[in-house]
């Protein structure tokens, strides 16, 4: 029995690595009559079970091949007769563990002789019948579909581990999690094939080509108007597109002494309500999109992570530490173009119709331990940095405060520790 166990392990060990690399799910093993009269002694060593010295080696007894199609028909527990649902197991490519089941195939099925080569030579073996079905095994209960990215997996359902089409080297597109918890890049858009950009026709890997915009316009890209163009590398040029300027959110009016008065006819902000109504969309990945400006904002949390609302940075470290961390692969929310907002951009988040002066999308369910996936936090003070330097004093920068509803206060030394909310888009 000791020798038989190692013969099976030996056969599987020589076959499984190649199978794992091809992501093949199972092996089907046949009993064989081997023409090679192999006999000898060997010390067999395995990483899991250690050394077994003095093992007798004789002719091979199993020939295993990849079983690509899987089981057909239902499977049931023989004791309870309940159906068995197969799991897609995940494992690192080097794992060689197998669980082998006995199978019995119809006698009418015949198999041709096979010419095989292994480390002992080449010869013809006669296949008798399928006797074993060996499936990959993993330690513990990890499998594709358990909601956690395990070793050997790239993703789980909607969890892409921070990856995106752009982080994988594509130009754009939507990355998905496919079968076997491997990335599905079928909806990713490649960069233009060298030589194809400039021929006047939009290829599958181009957004536009010359005057051919592929039916796109500023409006279809989320802008309020303007003229869309095509850049030399067959990407959209949105510099002439325009955005609707957001309003302040203020709908109440106050007179000079500060008493609330009816708005009609006053010309106050609450009366005119110029600009588009504030509108935001939570993207479900720790970011919020301003539907007016199309800017995408980082949500803040209260969990001690790099998104924590209480973290403060000097102005130089806002770039060198906070923004750099967001753009380190795997980049935050699958994008590597996060930046510090300029003072107009950070000011666009002011909602002067409420106090604190921020819309609910940026201040909801904030509690100790909450993450950017479960809450949205905005600290009242201190202020938030913009990327804009105060020209009258270049050692200072412009900030925004959501406690007093103020944006544009200059004279703040760049060595001061203030909060950061990153943004992307808008170019």
């Amino acid at each position: 029995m000791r020798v038989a166990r190692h013969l099976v392990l030996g056969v599987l060990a020589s076959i499984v690595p190649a199978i794992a690399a091809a992501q093949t799910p199972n092996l089907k093993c046949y009993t064989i009559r081997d023409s090679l009269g192999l006999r000898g002694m060997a010390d067999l060593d395995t990483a899991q079970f250690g050394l077994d010295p003095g093992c007798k080696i004789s002719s091979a007894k199993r020939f295993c091949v990849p079983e690509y199609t899987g089981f057909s028909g239902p499977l049931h527990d023989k004791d309870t007769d309940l159906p068995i649902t197969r799991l897609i197991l995940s494992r690192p490519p080097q794992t060689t563990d197998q669980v082998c089941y006995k199978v019995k195939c119809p006698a009418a099925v015949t198999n041709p002789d096979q010419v095989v080569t292994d480390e002992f030579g080449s010869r013809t073996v006669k296949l008798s019948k399928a006797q074993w079905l060996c499936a990959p095994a993993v330690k513990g209960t990890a499998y594709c579909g358990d909601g956690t990215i395990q070793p050997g997996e790239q993703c789980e359902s909607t969890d892409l581990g921070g990856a995106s089409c752009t982080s994988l080297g594509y130009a754009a597109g939507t990355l998905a999690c496919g079968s076997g918890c491997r990335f599905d890049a079928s909806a990713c858009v490649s960069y233009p094939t060298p030589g194809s950009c400039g021929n006047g026709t939009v290829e599958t890997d181009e957004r536009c080509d010359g005057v051919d915009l592929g039916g796109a316009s500023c409006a279809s890209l989320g802008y309020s108007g303007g003229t869309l163009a095509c850049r030399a590398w067959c990407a959209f040029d949105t510099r002439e597109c325009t955005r609707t300027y957001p309003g302040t959110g203020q709908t109440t009016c106050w007179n000079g002494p500060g008493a609330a008065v009816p708005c009609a006819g006053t010309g106050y902000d609450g009366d005119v309500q110029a600009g588009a109504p504030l509108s935001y969309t939570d993207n479900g990945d720790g970011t919020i999109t301003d539907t007016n400006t199309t800017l995408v904002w980082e949500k803040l949390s209260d969990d001690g992570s790099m998104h924590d609302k209480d973290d403060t940075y000097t102005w130089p470290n806002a770039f060198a530490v906070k923004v750099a961390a967001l753009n380190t692969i795997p980049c935050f929310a699958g994008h590597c173009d996060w930046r510090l907002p300029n003072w107009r951009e950070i000011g666009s988040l002011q909602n002067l119709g409420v106090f604190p002066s921020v819309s609910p999308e940026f201040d909801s369910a904030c509690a100790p331990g909450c993450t950017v996936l479960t809450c949205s936090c905005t600290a009242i003070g201190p202020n938030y940095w913009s990327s804009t330097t105060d020209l009258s004093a270049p050692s200072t920068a412009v900030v925004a405060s959501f406690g007093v509803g103020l944006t544009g206060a200059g004279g703040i030394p760049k060595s001061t520790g203030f909060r950061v909310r990153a943004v992307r888009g808008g170019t």
Side-chain angles (χ1 to χ4, degrees):
M1 292 300 292
R2 182 182 184 86
V3 175
R5 175 170 70 89
H6 284 284
L7 284 174
V8 173
L9 285 176
V11 172
L12 292 178
S14 66
I15 296 175
V16 171
I19 303 305
Q23 296 298 313
T24 304
N26 303 317
L27 298 177
K28 184 166 60 175
C29 298
Y30 294 84
T31 58
I32 62 173
R33 292 190 295 274
D34 192 358
S35 59
L36 177 63
L38 181 65
R39 180 179 298 175
M41 301 289 294
D43 295 335
L44 300 183
D45 195 3
T46 62
Q48 295 187 58
F49 308 117
L51 178 66
D52 287 308
C55 296
K56 293 182 179 180
I57 306 298
S58 60
S59 298
K61 302 297 183 183
R62 303 286 185 272
F63 180 74
C64 300
V65 297
E67 190 263 323
Y68 288 97
T69 58
F71 296 105
S72 61
L75 298 175
H76 293 81
D77 186 296
K78 70 181 183 65
D79 294 323
T80 65
D81 201 36
L82 295 175
I84 295 175
T85 301
R86 294 183 65 197
L87 300 178
I88 302 175
L89 297 178
S90 61
R91 58 176 182 154
Q94 70 273 16
T95 300
T96 58
D97 294 353
Q98 301 275 309
V99 176
C100 297
Y101 301 85
K102 280 195 148 186
V103 297
K104 184 176 182 180
C105 295
V109 177
T110 58
N111 299 285
D113 295 347
Q114 299 292 309
V115 177
V116 298
T117 301
D118 63 8
E119 60 183 306
F120 302 111
S122 296
R123 69 273 192 191
T124 299
V125 297
K126 298 181 180 295
L127 273 66
S128 175
K129 60 182 179 179
Q131 188 172 353
W132 301 95
L133 177 70
C134 299
V138 295
K139 294 290 191 294
T141 58
Y143 62 92
C144 178
D146 62 4
T148 301
I149 299 177
Q150 307 286 351
E153 296 178 347
Q154 295 177 326
C155 54
E156 270 277 354
S157 185
T158 58
D159 183 0
L160 301 179
S164 66
C165 288
T166 54
S167 71
L168 295 183
Y170 293 89
T174 302
L175 184 65
C177 190
S179 62
C181 290
R182 314 294 294 177
F183 290 139
D184 177 3
S186 59
C188 293
V189 179
S190 301
Y191 285 99
T193 303
S196 68
C197 182
N199 62 6
T201 301
V202 179
E203 311 289 347
T204 57
D205 54 359
E206 298 172 348
R207 306 298 297 276
C208 56
D209 199 317
V211 297
D212 185 357
L213 301 177
S217 65
C218 289
S220 70
L221 296 181
Y223 295 86
S224 58
T227 302
L228 183 65
C230 189
R231 293 180 181 268
W233 54 91
C234 291
F236 289 136
D237 183 352
T238 60
R239 288 175 294 181
E240 297 301 320
C241 293
T242 58
R243 293 187 174 91
T244 300
Y245 199 78
T248 66
Q250 195 167 99
T251 58
T252 304
C253 296
W254 296 265
N255 61 14
V261 297
C263 286
T266 62
Y268 300 159
D269 187 6
D271 175 26
V272 179
Q273 298 184 27
L278 299 179
S279 177
Y280 305 97
T281 299
D282 191 317
N283 300 314
D285 60 356
T287 68
I288 295 173
T289 297
D290 185 330
T291 56
N292 285 312
T293 65
T294 70
L295 293 171
V296 180
W297 293 92
E298 171 201 13
K299 291 175 70 176
L300 298 181
S301 62
D302 194 11
D303 59 352
S305 70
M306 65 176 173
H307 310 291
D308 196 284
K309 66 178 178 63
D310 295 319
D311 289 344
T312 59
Y313 305 84
T314 64
W315 194 77
N317 282 344
F319 301 90
V321 178
K322 174 63 182 283
V323 173
L326 295 175
N327 289 329
T328 299
I329 294 178
C331 302
F332 173 52
H335 297 281
C336 301
D337 56 350
W338 293 98
R339 57 186 176 83
L340 200 64
N342 65 39
W343 79 268
R344 291 189 185 275
E345 290 172 326
I346 190 67
S348 72
L349 296 185
Q350 298 279 2
N351 184 342
L352 301 182
V354 295
F355 181 84
S357 59
V358 64
S359 295
E361 289 83 357
F362 293 92
D363 187 21
S364 62
C366 187
C370 72
T371 72
V372 292
L373 299 180
T374 61
C375 70
S376 186
C377 300
T378 297
I380 303 304
N383 300 322
Y384 287 76
W385 283 120
S386 78
S387 62
T388 306
T389 292
D390 185 344
L391 186 60
S392 65
S395 64
T396 69
V398 183
V399 298
S401 171
F402 295 97
V404 297
L406 176 66
T407 304
I412 306 298
K414 294 179 178 177
S415 58
T416 308
F418 280 160
R419 292 182 166 89
V420 171
R421 187 189 295 276
V423 70
R424 59 177 297 272
T427 57

